[in-house]
Amino acid sequence: MTVTDTGTTAQTAERPAHRDGNVLRWLGAYTASMIGDSVYYMALAWAAARTGGDTQTGVVLAVGSIPRAVLMLGGGVLADRIGPRRVVIGSDAVRCLVVLGLAGALMLTSPALWMLIAVALVFGVVDALFLPAVGALPPRVTATGQLARVQGMRGLATRLANVVGAPLGGVAVALGGPAAAFAAAGVFFAVSLPLLLSLRIRPLPEQDGAEPSGTAWHDLADGLRHIRRHPLLGPLMLVVAVSELGFVGPLNLGLILLAKERHWGASGMGWIIAAFGIGAGATALLLAVRGRVPRAGLVMCLAVLVGAVAIGALARLPSVALAAAAAVCVGLFAGLGGSLCGALIQTVTEPAYLGRVTSVSTLFTHAIAPLSYPVTGAAVAIWGTGPVFAASAALCAAGALTGLAFTRLRRAELPG
């Protein structure tokens, strides 16, 4: 292929994503970056816990969410203006330099609270740029017909990073303290850079009047209008927004409180979380191998609906084994719904709007939905886990039913 300075390539015949070296390079870079993220958060939590009390630790871990929420939409505008690959490369380069610099500083002095807060803030800013850009990259590295398969491969990479990253960070902390763990995270970010630089970027069709122009505010407003007026993007964003609010609380904080209430202990909670990971991983593998699901819009909504039922059942089951079985179903069906939603968004979005559209969906999943944690905790304290999980399941189901109400979404197909 011929690569130009603007990141375009000559058209080539479509090949399966799992056999495409370009996609595999992207996948390797994404996996390395996600493992680096996981190791970094483990090191940050450990360093914060050793430096201050519980309150200070919570502040350090939460402070990065502020710039992430505030700047996420701006990250989408930047991705559309200069290209998502440049944004992802710049983000990983900054993260690499920051964590390696922190590792060097910790070799000379003990961690200070202000130092950890500063690093967390930088990572929050970088995440606001990285997340929309990395979500907008798949249509630029593979053919449209391979996007569902790429979503499955991305899901597998995320599960691998979750499984490998935290234990690796723990080993690094045990062997060399937080400095060694931050250094390990920096190495993973560094590994992603040559892979990203070697990517061949596919040309995207030009869209009249869609190229970013004028001020950033104008571009952002233009992107939001594109979503509102699009026959599929608007409904898809409604499904994401409503279902994520019902999904995130119980599947993160809720499981911890459920295990505590039922006296299942850390091991019981671990089995349930592992079961969810197995279900989500199986769905990701299915999409990676199959590459396409017929009637994707209908299957997406029905999968979210089944996942909602499984969420409601979690708090009603009397044993760890049954709860783990329900968690497998949640992982299978919620994972399938999420992956198909991501593939549909990337397929139907006009190329020049990919960064901005991705930033809106990412804002719901990574910034707004986590705000339900305090509400979930307070509600469990008042009513217990059963009613709270039932309410969360109802919210997830409402998202699925919202999608089913739109005929165009029910009939939406992924390209063959």
Side-chain angles (χ1 to χ4, degrees):
M1 295 184 184
T2 303
V3 184
T4 71
D5 290 339
T6 59
T8 59
T9 62
Q11 283 282 14
T12 58
E14 181 175 328
R15 70 177 69 177
H18 61 287
R19 297 177 183 173
D20 187 338
N22 198 44
V23 173
L24 295 178
R25 286 192 293 275
W26 167 82
L27 186 67
Y30 177 77
T31 304
S33 185
M34 289 298 99
I35 293 176
D37 246 2
S38 204
V39 174
Y40 156 76
Y41 281 112
M42 166 63 73
L44 185 70
W46 182 265
R50 294 291 298 271
T51 303
D54 293 343
T55 301
Q56 289 83 359
T57 301
V59 168
V60 170
L61 295 180
V63 73
S65 63
I66 299 171
R68 187 185 303 124
V70 172
L71 301 175
M72 185 75 73
L73 297 180
V77 172
L78 185 65
D80 284 337
R81 277 178 170 259
I82 69 173
R85 181 175 65 169
R86 293 178 181 176
V87 176
V88 172
I89 290 172
S91 300
D92 273 355
V94 170
R95 291 197 282 190
C96 177
L97 293 174
V98 168
V99 294
L100 289 179
L102 180 59
L106 294 183
M107 292 179 183
L108 303 175
T109 183
S110 299
L113 199 62
W114 68 265
M115 188 186 302
L116 301 178
I117 289 175
V119 170
L121 283 171
V122 170
F123 261 69
V125 172
V126 172
D127 278 348
L129 305 180
F130 174 83
L131 291 170
V134 79
L137 259 182
R140 299 174 186 265
V141 299
T142 190
T144 304
Q146 296 299 313
L147 286 176
R149 178 171 277 132
V150 169
Q151 287 295 315
M153 295 166 70
R154 182 180 176 183
L156 286 173
T158 301
R159 296 299 156 196
L160 175 64
N162 292 339
V163 170
V164 172
L168 185 60
V171 170
V173 168
L175 295 177
F182 283 120
V187 169
F188 278 104
F189 291 132
V191 167
S192 73
L193 293 175
L195 294 171
L196 290 168
L197 289 167
S198 67
L199 287 180
R200 299 187 302 272
I201 302 300
R202 295 173 59 88
L204 295 177
E206 296 293 336
Q207 301 290 332
D208 293 336
E211 289 296 333
S213 60
T215 67
W217 284 110
H218 176 273
D219 292 344
L220 177 57
D222 188 35
L224 295 177
R225 280 195 299 270
H226 176 66
I227 294 172
R228 179 170 56 84
R229 295 171 179 173
H230 197 283
L232 284 179
L233 286 177
L236 282 167
M237 293 301 167
L238 284 175
V239 173
V240 171
V242 177
S243 59
E244 281 292 326
L245 283 173
F247 176 81
V248 169
L251 265 296
N252 288 279
L253 178 62
L255 280 182
I256 298 172
L257 300 178
L258 178 64
K260 180 180 179 181
E261 182 182 280
R262 298 294 179 83
H263 305 289
W264 288 341
S267 62
M269 184 182 69
W271 280 110
I272 296 172
I273 293 174
F276 169 78
I278 290 171
T283 290
L285 181 61
L286 171 67
L287 284 176
V289 172
R290 184 176 176 84
R292 184 176 180 271
V293 175
R295 301 295 299 275
L298 178 63
V299 172
M300 178 199 77
C301 295
L302 294 178
V304 173
L305 192 59
V306 175
V309 173
I311 289 173
L314 262 175
R316 300 293 181 183
L317 298 173
S319 68
V320 171
L322 291 175
V328 170
C329 293
V330 174
L332 277 170
F333 291 101
L336 177 60
S339 295
L340 290 177
C341 186
L344 283 169
I345 288 173
Q346 292 179 341
T347 299
V348 303
T349 301
E350 293 181 13
Y353 290 100
L354 273 170
R356 282 164 285 180
V357 171
T358 304
S359 73
V360 174
S361 62
T362 308
L363 179 68
F364 289 127
T365 57
H366 286 81
I368 294 178
L371 297 178
S372 65
Y373 291 166
V375 177
T376 300
V380 169
I382 298 172
W383 295 296
T385 54
V388 172
F389 271 70
S392 297
L395 201 54
C396 274
L401 294 173
T402 298
L404 290 171
F406 291 91
T407 303
R408 290 286 293 273
L409 182 53
R410 290 199 310 271
R411 295 176 178 175
E413 294 276 9
L414 290 171

